DNA sequence: GTATATTCCTACTAATTCCATGGGAATACG
DNA sequence: CGTATTCCCATGGAATTAGTAGGAATATAC
């Protein structure tokens, strides 16, 4: 239950790698080799992280990726949401009047609470915390 | 991210239904109709809940299901684990020495913490909490 | 003891999501 | 110009989830 997709695990490991570069950049293929991540797959993952503004990139020879911010300023929830979208245990989290009958939406508050517990943890941790743990 | 399978949502709604029966039993088909759950699918779900000891059942005419314990004594984590297994964000939660190289297992502590946050919430809530929320 | 309502068991299919892979265009450096 | 890199789009296989189907076993009521 609640297993984390490889995409997210790969993404975090890639960011850990970048955080250790101390400001200099690393190429996708280089990270992939060091971390044991399928190279082509990682390209896409880094693309998503770039779109979300978590990393910067430079093309061409000597190009590569680097963190957009310091590791202490990168919250884990940003990373997770960039790669997999918002934490959303069930579809009807917001809308309290979806179901006309039955107990369909009764557990809604319960799921909202679960989202709160998960979000709270992910917001409390930064990339630096992960590296130093 | 972290979406809850329909099986678990259905299972919880079925238990909510049973909790409201005040001790008397309800047939699977009856619950399915009232809650808008595919009948044959619900049969299997109730079977799992029975195997886990969360409900009791009686066969034959006038048979059906009832809660094995009072709603205030049924923790939500029991229900989730009965239907989907243990909360396990990543595979290598226990073994701290799985990965020989790379940053594969560095984030382990982070995932252990996430499991703790989720488990903590699910342990703190009972079926009665869900009904009364 | 027969009809009926129910759980219980096993297997199967359909749909969806996850996990990549492939080919090549655009860009930058030397 | 040659090479290393990001970037973009499409495709395919694997795994999981979701739901169906058929019928055996069991209990009740008449």
């Amino acid at each position: 239950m609640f297993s984390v997709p490889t995409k997210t695990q790969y993404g975090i490991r890639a960011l850990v790698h970048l955080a250790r570069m101390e400001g200099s950049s690393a190429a996708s293929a280089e990270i992939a080799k060091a971390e044991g991540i399928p190279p082509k797959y990682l390209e896409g993952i880094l693309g998503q992280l770039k779109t979300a503004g978590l990393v910067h990139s430079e093309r061409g020879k000597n190009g590569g990726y680097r963190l957009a911010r310091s590791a202490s300023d990168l919250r884990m929830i940003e990373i997770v949401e960039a790669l997999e979208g918002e934490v959303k245990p069930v579809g009807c989290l917001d809308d309290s009047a979806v179901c006309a009958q039955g107990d369909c939406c009764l557990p809604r508050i319960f799921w909202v609470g679960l989202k709160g517990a998960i979000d709270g943890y992910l917001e409390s941790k930064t990339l630096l915390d992960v590296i130093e743990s």
Side-chain angles (χ1 to χ4, degrees), chain A:
Chain A
M1 183 72 167
F2 292 125
S3 70
V4 174
T6 61
K7 182 195 277 189
T8 300
Q9 299 183 44
Y10 289 160
I12 290 171
R13 278 159 55 193
L15 290 173
V16 165
H17 188 98
L18 287 179
R20 288 174 158 168
M21 303 290 298
E22 297 181 359
S24 62
S25 71
S28 176
E30 170 191 337
I31 301 170
K33 189 174 181 186
E35 301 290 339
I37 301 170
K40 269 297 199 179
Y41 196 26
L42 181 58
E43 272 187 24
I45 293 169
L46 288 168
Q48 279 187 261
L49 293 172
K50 177 189 167 65
T51 301
L54 303 186
V55 301
H56 291 152
S57 68
E58 279 168 30
R59 281 152 81 124
K61 203 164 183 175
N62 301 329
Y65 296 88
R66 59 192 163 78
L67 293 187
R69 290 176 252 148
S70 68
S72 62
D73 200 25
L74 271 176
R75 309 219 155 262
M76 295 308 289
I77 195 169
E78 296 182 273
I79 301 170
V80 167
E81 290 189 343
L83 295 174
E84 307 289 342
E86 192 182 359
V87 172
K88 199 162 189 181
V90 297
C92 61
L93 268 194
D94 313 311
D95 192 346
S96 61
V98 166
C99 307
Q101 59 185 1
D103 297 320
C104 168
C105 284
L106 219 192
R108 224 190 94 252
I109 303 295
F110 169 71
W111 297 123
V112 169
L114 177 60
K115 173 180 166 57
I118 297 173
D119 281 354
Y121 178 77
L122 294 178
E123 277 165 7
S124 76
K125 298 294 178 185
T126 68
L127 186 59
L128 186 62
D129 292 329
V130 171
I131 292 171
E132 291 182 341
S133 65

